[in-house]
Amino acid sequence: FFYFPETHGISFRIQITVKEVLDTDVLLKLFFHLPVNYPSTVPDISVTSDQLTRAQCVDVREKLLEEAKQHLSEPMVHDLILWVQQHLQDVIKQSATVCNEKTTLSKGTEDGIWMLLLHLDHMRAKAKYVKTVEKWASDLRLTGRLMFMGKIILILLQGDRNSIKEYLILQKTSKVDVNSSGKKCKEKMMRVLCETELQSQHKRFQMFEVKEYSALEELQKEFETAGLTTLFSEFVPPLLK
């Protein structure tokens, strides 16, 4: 649970597994922000899942918000979780139908350039780890930056969506670092801060580079130059706390 001061209400994350949707179990990550005047107003909700497309997550969120309006003035989070467990299958089916109708549109989205921002907690075998990341980026034709600033380690990648997904699998399943005993180990403390389609205001990185920044302002400038000011302000300052 993540609590914020009373003036902002309360925020928390809940993970639930919904059995056998799309012939597989779906792990849903729900983020709720309850405003101070909740339940007189609906909570803000975000939905993410590795098993669903971004469009499906958006559909689930919209349906949850519609459902929330039916429960105004009564505590509703528990009801919303039950609702999504019971109705996820229907929402996905509807979402799929809409996708089929807009095949040309959704195909365009899949083929677009995607962007991924990752946060790593540490690198013990730094030189080897950096080499591995550079090799993966090169093999998958991904451009971007591996960024070091103080204790903060960020990986920003741009490229074909399937390559981004492939990179994530490599990052999670390969022995990229060593543990405190010096044994090879997998990356267990990686967080995906953002995965999104590249928008027109974002600039493409031409290559993949490893860079060290001595101050936050330098790091901020890197993001600003790439048209990613919003991405920086949303995800990087919280890492300093």
Side-chain angles (χ1 to χ4, degrees):
F1 280 74
F2 294 77
Y3 289 100
F4 293 112
E6 272 309 297
T7 48
H8 298 102
I10 294 171
S11 295
F12 54 89
R13 285 191 185 89
I14 292 176
Q15 293 197 30
I16 55 166
T17 302
V18 186
K19 293 285 175 195
E20 292 181 23
V21 181
L22 314 165
D23 303 321
T24 177
D25 290 354
V26 173
L27 178 68
L28 274 187
K29 296 169 192 166
L30 306 172
F31 182 81
F32 289 92
H33 174 72
L34 311 184
V36 179
N37 47 359
Y38 167 86
S40 308
T41 49
V42 296
D44 188 25
I45 305 169
S46 77
V47 178
T48 53
S49 172
D50 292 343
Q51 288 84 20
L52 302 181
T53 64
R54 199 169 172 77
Q56 286 169 328
C57 288
V58 169
D59 284 345
V60 173
R61 176 181 181 269
E62 283 173 3
K63 289 282 188 288
L64 271 173
L65 288 171
E66 279 173 30
E67 186 61 22
K69 286 173 189 161
Q70 313 297 318
H71 293 275
L72 274 178
S73 78
E74 55 187 80
M76 63 185 85
V77 172
H78 182 64
D79 292 323
L80 293 177
I81 290 164
L82 289 177
W83 185 89
V84 82
Q85 284 176 313
Q86 289 161 2
H87 295 89
L88 185 64
Q89 193 111 23
D90 307 333
V91 178
I92 302 305
K93 276 183 187 154
Q94 282 179 348
S95 184
T97 324
V98 175
C99 276
N100 292 339
E101 286 166 12
K102 302 182 187 164
T103 311
T104 48
L105 188 71
S106 63
K107 192 170 182 337
T109 310
E110 285 295 319
D111 292 347
I113 298 298
W114 280 68
M115 179 167 61
L116 178 72
L117 181 62
L118 301 174
H119 173 245
L120 302 181
D121 186 73
H122 61 272
M123 284 184 183
R124 282 200 175 91
K126 186 175 172 181
K128 176 184 170 288
Y129 204 135
V130 169
K131 259 202 179 94
T132 307
V133 171
E134 285 181 308
K135 184 181 184 318
W136 289 342
S138 163
D139 290 350
L140 294 166
R141 297 193 181 142
L142 297 170
T143 61
R145 299 282 184 269
L146 167 53
M147 304 178 273
F148 295 93
M149 201 286 295
K151 288 189 174 175
I152 292 176
I153 307 168
L154 296 169
I155 301 177
L156 181 62
L157 296 168
Q158 293 176 347
D160 171 77
R161 190 172 190 195
N162 289 332
S163 300
I164 293 265
K165 288 201 153 126
E166 190 66 32
Y167 179 92
L168 268 175
I169 292 166
L170 286 168
Q171 182 82 54
K172 286 175 184 169
T173 57
S174 310
K175 291 188 173 177
V176 282
D177 207 0
V178 295
N179 62 19
S180 51
S181 318
K183 284 188 179 160
K184 289 181 178 179
C185 66
K186 292 176 185 173
E187 177 56 72
K188 292 195 176 73
M189 297 182 76
M190 175 192 82
R191 283 194 304 147
V192 176
L193 298 178
C194 180
E195 187 180 353
T196 182
E197 193 171 9
L198 211 63
Q199 305 301 316
S200 53
Q201 73 270 26
H202 302 151
K203 292 191 176 61
R204 283 291 309 272
F205 287 109
Q206 296 307 306
M207 58 178 76
F208 184 81
E209 289 181 86
V210 180
K211 294 180 100 171
E212 304 239 1
Y213 306 85
S214 54
L216 190 65
E217 292 73 29
E218 279 182 32
L219 184 61
Q220 188 169 354
K221 202 163 183 190
E222 181 79 79
F223 276 81
E224 283 171 359
T225 309
L228 301 171
T229 309
T230 316
L231 191 74
F232 176 87
S233 54
E234 190 172 343
F235 295 107
V236 182
L239 301 174
L240 296 164
K241 287 172 185 169

